[in-house]
Amino acid sequence: MEKDCGAWINLLSRKVKRRLNATLQGVDITFIQSQVIFYILNHWQEAPVFQRDIEQVFSLSRSTATGILQQLEEKGLLRRESVESDARLKSLVPTDRAAQLDAEVRACLRQTEEVLTRGLSGGQVQLFKETLAAMAQNLDDAEAENAR
């Protein structure tokens, strides 16, 4: 039986995560932790980043996001700071160590991207990205329809 699109995407996702986790092991960070810290590094100076932002951007449950953020705090990669307008809110702020680690993480991501796209033309890679974006939008649209 031939694999359907969902099965291929799931297989590729697992392989990419496994490779990235193995590659990032040397810098003591997981793939999802690297994605979260990368997001915070790229957004915290524009506006405060909160846990709910991480939950939404990465489609994570509250408990999963809490666990990831606690691990990043324990590793000294981020800290939570009170917000002047609401003491209950804590913004997520990357530490200097996170900024230093960023270059190493980016190198690991580039290396995996090179392996992943080896032998493919730029056009093939672009078409693949456009196709995946369309599929993701299809799922979002279906979810919105079901919510009505």
Side-chain angles (χ1 to χ4, degrees), residues 15-128:
K15 286 180 179 240
V16 168
K17 285 177 189 173
R18 190 177 318 125
R19 179 177 176 87
L20 283 168
N21 282 330
T23 305
L24 292 168
Q25 202 170 29
V27 291
D28 191 32
I29 195 169
T30 66
F31 174 56
I32 187 64
Q33 290 170 350
S34 73
Q35 287 184 304
V36 169
I37 203 67
F38 180 76
Y39 178 84
I40 295 168
L41 280 165
N42 285 313
H43 293 89
W44 76 279
Q45 289 181 316
E46 300 164 13
V49 177
F50 301 106
Q51 178 169 331
R52 69 173 180 259
D53 300 321
I54 301 302
E55 293 166 9
Q56 290 172 350
V57 168
F58 297 99
S59 298
L60 299 173
S61 68
R62 181 178 292 165
S63 62
T64 299
T66 296
I68 291 167
L69 295 173
Q70 286 174 342
Q71 290 170 347
L72 290 171
E73 280 184 286
E74 289 170 12
K75 293 177 184 199
L77 297 173
L78 72 83
R79 63 182 184 278
R80 296 174 195 249
E81 293 183 353
S82 295
V83 177
E84 288 181 25
S85 61
D86 187 344
R88 295 170 297 173
L89 289 176
K90 304 284 186 203
S91 67
L92 304 172
V93 179
T95 64
D96 291 340
R97 183 165 181 259
Q100 293 167 354
L101 202 62
D102 188 50
E104 290 181 65
V105 170
R106 284 178 191 257
C108 290
L109 295 174
R110 271 192 308 278
Q111 179 189 30
T112 298
E113 183 76 6
E114 287 172 13
V115 170
L116 192 60
T117 59
R118 186 180 298 150
L120 300 176
S121 71
Q124 287 174 306
V125 172
Q126 185 61 35
L127 178 60
F128 178 72

